[in-house]
Amino acid sequence: MDISATFTLLFLLVASIAAVASADVFSDALLSLKSEFSDNYNALGDWFMPSNKNPSDEITACSWSGVSCNSNSTMVIGLDLSARGLAAELSGKQFAVFVDLVSLNFSHNLFSGKLPPSIFNLTNLKNLDISRNNFSGKFPSGVSGLKKLVVLDAFSNGFSGPLPAEVSQVESLKVVNFAGSYFSGPIPSEYGNFKSLEFIHLAGNLLGGEIPPELGKLQTLTHMEIGYNSYQRGIPWELGNMPQIQYLDIAGANLSGPIPKEISNLANLQSLFLFRNQLNGLIPSHFSKLVSLQSLDLSDNQLSGQIPESFSELKNLSLLSLFQNKLSGTVPHAIADLPMLDTLLLWNNFFSGLLPNSLGINSNLKLVDVSSNNFSGSIPPNLCANGMLSKLILFSNYFAGELPPFLSNCSSLVRIRFEYNSLSGPISLSFGSLSDISYVDLSSNKLTGGVPEDITRASKLEYLNVSNNPELGGKLPPKLWSLPLLSNFSASSCNISGSIPSFQSCKSLTVVELSANYLLGNMPETISDCHGLSIIDLSHNNISGEIPERLGHSTSLLLLNVSFNDISGSIPENSNFRLMDSSAFQGNPKLCGVPLQACRNSKEIQTELLWVLVLCAAVVVFIALAVSGVYYIQKERKKGQWKMISFAGFPNFTAYDVLKSFSSPEFMDTLQYPLVSSPICKVTLPTGITVSVKKIEWDPQRMEVMEELIIQMGNARHKNLTRLLGYCYNKDLVYLLYDYLPNGNVAEKILARQDWTSKYKIVLGIAKGLCYLHHDCYPAIPHGDLRPSNIVFAESMEPQLTEFGFRFLMQLNKGSFPVTTSKMQPGQYTSVNEELYMDIFNFGNIILEILTNGRTQNVSKSILNKPAEDLLEEICRENEVSRQDTLRKELSLMLEVALLCTRSRSSDRPSMKDVVNILSGSNS
């Protein structure tokens, strides 16, 4: 090869190396990263290489959105792709290029799959934010290699497995956020080794074990949130050793035991949240040392004793929340002297005595809730002294005397709840001055003087309840319904007289309750103009005339109760009324039509007589068959010791077949079945049928009446009832054979978050099963023990009620009811109607449990007294339903059903037929 050829080859080689060296590898890597993204909003539309790019050392990507470079655009140092709607499972192969990257922000996107471990090769990173994505799986190892990292934010993802202990080796870290995922296991004790940490957030995971006392070694920490997990035992006293802590939140964490007095050593603490735990004992009096404290929330625990007098030292305290504990005694007068106090929440305790008379003079109170206690005396007169009070909630106490004058001058008031007290005198509220008032509940007191005329000046009023004030009297204001936002008006049992005012401009009205008064005259025709009305209760009055025909065409009406009036004519022929229970119309002798008796004419009377004759013949035949059946059963019993009775759809096994299956160990497994109060076994019968068997030792003298109930239970057939297939018995024992359903029960499913369709299916199925027992069985069969664990799932996951009637069967066996006749009648039950009402109450409770994912397990007084809109907000948050979500209306309707079913007065609860009609319409 000659010299010229060699020179040419060398030149080309050098030129190619230079070309490679000058290539824009950063832009190419970012384009490769973009190719993995699903970018539905074209958020990275400016990420492209121009066709006329001039050779330069500058990086093209430096001009792209979200990309930051150094001053001469030769190095990528920041990448911010937050909140761009991007989705992908990242490969991580591009990260090797960005060795100089200082900040990486992928937050608020839809990235999923595992977090690529190569992200930890970016050793110059100071800020790593991957929050609010769907990354899942175990958090990868390698994070300890990011020696310069200051902020690590992985909030709200789907990570599982243990928290990464190695992160504590990064000495430069100031912020660690692993909240809102599915991390499990204990908090690593190594987390006490952080050298510079200022902020740690681990809340909302599945963490357990004990809180490591080593966390008390965090000398630089100012903010700690580790609640909404499920720890064991209590708060380590060592947490009182963190000198810089300002914010400490361990709420909803299953903590038990007393609050360590060492917490009072946290001199810089401004916010302490320990609510929703199982903490007990006294509130430490040493808390008076927390002079920087602004917010103290110890609510929803089991704390006892009194509020310490030493709280007078907490001059910066603005929030004092102690509700739902076991606290007692009087409220210290020192509480009224706290200058910054604006929120006082003491409800659902055992406080007594008087509220401090000076409460409100020295501070700008905004919210006071001391409901469900034993307070007495008059309402303090200065609660709105500084004109800031917006919510005053005092219900379920023993407050007496007249309404305080300050109420009329407190223009900031939005909500007043004084129900269930002993307040007397007139409703002396100047509604014209209460420009923002929206909610007023004065029910169950001793008020007089009627509903004030000037109520029509409360332009923002949405809810007014004055029910159960027997001496209220007066007449309804003629322009009552003109209030533009009024949705709920309740004035039952108030001795109100006169006629019902004409309905005008009532577009917001949804509930009108005027039962048990002395109202007379006709139902106004204009009530049909209220297109949003869902509940109308005019029962137990002296209303006459006919039901307005147009009212039957309302699409929103769920319940109409006009029982026990003097209404005449026919019930409008509309599907809404046909679906309602007859109890809503009874007590009106002149009223006829479906669902009452048909309105008669001569031809119908003849037809009815014919049907009566046919029915009588059928009854005679039925009685003859029943007598023959009973005779056959008694005859069979005498033939041998053991007998077997099968119901429809079950093979006619002999008693020998069943007993033989019992005796074989391979066919009998003892179950820990939570559905029953006595042992139950799984048994495989001949032909391979698997059944659940319950054993009852019965009294021979009570066999006959118990058999009648068993036969009634066995003949009850509905897709939402567990079938009783048959029973095998002798004079001492009876074995009940049920369908075996191994798919779990509602109690197990409640705790797992489910979609709305599944929840709706469960609730409607329970309602239909209960409706069948109450309305399609004669005599009606009260369930007697309705609860989530007594509702099981068929193979189709259709809910089925089990244990129905069993409680009464056991009561018959114990002799709770006299055996006076061979034919069991409803009268043998002690107040069967009350048992039916209790079923309805328990059904409402189950709805609340399902809607709150098991958080509301027993309907307490505090739940029932909570405003429906507040409950709805909580339930929407629990089910992640926003204000704009179309499901909100369905949730609201189901909540309304639950609240109707759990009304304190049993006769106010709807029938299960009404409930099924409402729920069936809600999903149509």
Side-chain angles (χ1 to χ4, degrees), residues 385-398:
N386 291 299
M388 304 286 287
L389 190 66
S390 63
K391 296 180 181 179
L392 181 56
I393 304 176
L394 311 177
F395 66 81
S396 297
N397 279 288
Y398 298 97

Side-chain angles (χ1 to χ4, degrees), residues 677-678 694-698 702 706 709 713 734 736 803 805-817:
S677 57
S678 59
K694 293 184 64 170
K695 180 182 75 172
I696 303 173
E697 297 180 7
W698 62 4
R702 303 211 160 249
M706 288 181 70
L709 179 54
M713 292 160 57
V734 60
L736 304 182
E803 292 294 289
F806 188 75
R807 175 170 172 266
F808 295 97
L809 189 64
M810 298 310 294
Q811 288 177 334
L812 284 174
N813 194 31
K814 293 176 182 178
S816 301
F817 305 118

Side-chain angles (χ1 to χ4, degrees), residues 357-560:
N357 207 45
S358 58
L359 190 62
I361 294 179
N362 301 305
S363 60
N364 296 325
L365 286 179
K366 295 178 181 178
L367 169 57
V368 175
D369 188 344
V370 299
S371 57
S372 299
N373 279 287
N374 297 312
F375 290 114
S376 58
S378 58
I379 298 172
N382 301 297
L383 292 174
C384 192
N386 291 299
M388 304 286 287
L389 190 66
S390 63
K391 296 180 181 179
L392 181 56
I393 304 176
L394 311 177
F395 66 81
S396 297
N397 279 288
Y398 298 97
F399 288 112
E402 298 189 357
L403 298 179
F406 78 80
L407 291 174
S408 295
N409 302 318
C410 189
S411 59
S412 56
L413 274 173
V414 174
R415 181 185 295 266
I416 298 173
R417 296 194 61 188
F418 293 171
E419 66 266 31
Y420 293 99
N421 279 287
S422 298
L423 298 170
S424 57
I427 302 176
S428 54
L429 298 177
S430 179
F431 284 98
S433 301
L434 303 177
S435 56
D436 292 324
I437 197 73
S438 65
Y439 191 105
V440 177
D441 195 334
L442 304 173
S443 61
S444 300
N445 278 286
K446 301 175 182 179
L447 299 171
T448 59
V451 179
E453 290 281 344
D454 74 336
I455 192 174
T456 54
R457 299 175 63 190
S459 59
K460 295 185 180 180
L461 188 64
E462 300 176 15
Y463 181 101
L464 177 65
N465 188 351
V466 294
S467 295
N468 299 310
N469 281 283
E471 301 174 18
L472 186 64
K475 299 181 179 181
L476 295 175
K479 296 184 179 180
L480 174 63
W481 314 122
S482 65
L483 283 165
L485 301 179
L486 185 65
S487 64
N488 187 312
F489 180 82
S490 299
S492 298
S493 302
C494 287
N495 201 24
I496 295 174
S497 59
S499 58
I500 302 174
S502 178
F503 289 80
Q504 300 171 351
S505 305
C506 53
K507 62 180 180 179
S508 299
L509 202 60
T510 59
V511 176
V512 173
E513 295 177 320
L514 293 168
S515 65
N517 284 295
Y518 292 95
L519 296 170
L520 44 77
N522 296 345
M523 288 179 62
E525 287 284 342
T526 52
I527 197 171
S528 306
D529 298 331
C530 303
H531 301 301
L533 264 178
S534 59
I535 297 175
I536 306 172
D537 190 350
L538 305 176
S539 61
H540 295 274
N541 279 287
N542 297 318
I543 299 169
S544 55
E546 299 185 355
I547 299 174
E549 178 71 27
R550 286 192 299 135
L551 189 59
H553 300 291
S554 170
T555 57
S556 61
L557 192 62
L558 302 176
L559 286 177
L560 170 68

